Amino acid sequence: MSLQNDGRPSITSSHPVVLEIGIVTALLVGVYLWRELVSQVLTTVFGRPPSVGGVFVSGLVNGGVLLFGLIGFTVAYSRFREIDLGLRLPSRKVVPLVGLAVLTPIICVALTKLVGVVTGVPYNALTKTSIAADASVLPILLIAGLGLIIGVPMLVVICQVLIQASFEQVVSADTAIVLTTAVAGFVMVSNTGGLATVPELGKLIGAIAFTLSLGVAVYANERLENDWLPYLGFAPVVFVTAIIVFAGIAEVGTVAGGLFAVTQLAVLGIAAYTYDRTASLLAPALAYAALLLANRIVVFVFEAGMQSW
């Protein structure tokens, strides 16, 4: 934050960033509304499935319609803003970064599980998932496969294209990585454990409140001439930020819970970093896939039959 000649705080130079935050927030709201529309229409037409197989087919159809619609919009959006999507394989010289994208989630999940064992916190209490002790392998594979087929592309499209590539239009690559990790870390980390494929309503309300408070700060800084009123304009953004931070801290009740939260941020960060450095969507896709699979494997192998939340 720079200072004007009169000592008043100024975010004039950050107007493009503020505007881009508004654009990203609007895009995320659009994704949420699209998910709600698809869900309501398909439920009205087909009803709710009664069995595991029906749930899988319904999830596949619902997720497929949601994903293809989102991809169609993303392609149009990328062409409008001249965004290179990164639909290519990484070059050989950046293969170590691809390995880093895969290993980071696995190491973080293993460390979190280890700390959970030592401190008495089951991993399924963090992921909010459970598997019956006598569950057959097929349903588990179907659910895991659905998460990969739908969840990974959704995360890549939202985090890397709609968020990261948007920020790269107005800031440096490194700054875009930080902003992507922060924004995605807030809106894409689910309150029910792990990464969400679509932002939750409560997180979107928080994002909208933050964006509006930034607008208030900009307006107060530029339009109010009183010596102290511009400072007052920054109060809403400070207040909203404090609520978001304290709410996040309040959700972390244990050391294992803290590591679990750090894992989500680490994966989002490594996905953003490797996407920028490899110029390929494959690296972040592998990072998200590794996280989803590691979560599922830990619960299935070590905690089948347990439900700890």
Side-chain angles (χ1 to χ4, degrees):
M1 184 180 295
S2 62
L3 295 176
Q4 294 178 337
N5 292 334
D6 58 1
R8 181 184 302 174
S10 173
I11 54 177
T12 302
S13 60
S14 299
H15 280 186
V17 178
V18 174
L19 177 60
E20 207 62 42
I21 290 175
I23 293 173
V24 168
T25 301
L27 292 173
L28 294 174
V29 171
V31 171
Y32 174 82
L33 293 177
W34 171 238
R35 193 275 304 275
E36 290 297 300
L37 176 62
V38 170
S39 178
Q40 290 297 325
V41 170
L42 292 181
T43 300
T44 301
V45 173
F46 299 106
R48 297 190 180 277
S51 63
V52 173
V55 170
F56 173 78
V57 173
S58 175
L60 185 61
V61 173
N62 192 314
V65 174
L66 175 65
L67 178 59
F68 280 114
L70 182 58
I71 289 175
F73 169 80
T74 301
V75 170
Y77 176 73
S78 63
R79 289 181 178 177
F80 176 74
R81 301 204 67 180
E82 298 182 349
I83 293 173
D84 179 11
L85 293 178
L87 300 176
R88 65 179 67 88
L89 293 176
S91 63
R92 290 184 178 180
K93 64 181 181 180
V94 295
V95 167
L97 291 177
V98 177
L100 179 65
V102 175
L103 289 177
T104 298
I106 296 174
I107 293 172
C108 289
V109 169
L111 179 61
T112 304
K113 171 60 180 174
L114 177 61
V115 172
V117 170
V118 173
T119 59
V121 179
Y123 196 78
N124 69 65
L126 304 175
T127 62
K128 301 295 190 299
T129 58
S130 64
I131 297 175
D134 57 349
S136 60
V137 176
L138 181 58
I140 297 172
L141 291 177
L142 289 176
I143 294 173
L146 183 62
L148 293 177
I149 294 171
I150 304 299
V152 171
M154 289 287 294
L155 285 167
V156 169
V157 168
I158 293 174
C159 296
Q160 269 54 70
V161 181
L162 298 185
I163 297 178
Q164 185 173 356
S166 294
F167 282 133
E168 286 179 347
Q169 303 297 301
V170 296
V171 298
S172 67
D174 290 342
T175 303
I177 292 171
V178 174
L179 288 174
T180 299
T181 304
V183 173
F186 174 63
V187 300
M188 298 304 293
V189 175
S190 173
N191 291 325
T192 57
L195 296 179
T197 53
V198 174
E200 297 171 346
L201 180 59
K203 297 295 185 72
L204 282 179
I205 293 175
I208 292 170
F210 180 78
T211 303
L212 292 176
S213 66
L214 279 179
V216 171
V218 171
Y219 178 85
N221 181 74
E222 292 193 341
R223 300 299 179 87
L224 301 181
E225 300 297 333
N226 189 289
D227 289 338
W228 60 271
L229 282 179
Y231 290 92
L232 187 62
F234 284 84
V237 69
V238 173
F239 179 71
V240 172
T241 302
I243 291 178
I244 291 174
V245 171
F246 285 123
I249 294 175
E251 293 180 0
V252 179
T254 62
V255 176
L259 282 175
F260 185 76
V262 170
T263 295
Q264 316 311 306
L265 290 176
V267 172
L268 290 168
I270 202 67
Y273 176 78
T274 54
Y275 174 58
D276 175 74
R277 297 303 192 261
T278 65
S280 171
L281 288 175
L282 179 63
L286 290 175
Y288 298 134
L291 176 64
L292 294 176
L293 283 175
N295 284 342
R296 185 66 59 177
I297 290 171
V298 167
V299 175
F300 175 66
V301 174
F302 298 103
E303 301 179 359
M306 295 175 57
Q307 184 171 351
S308 308
W309 72 96

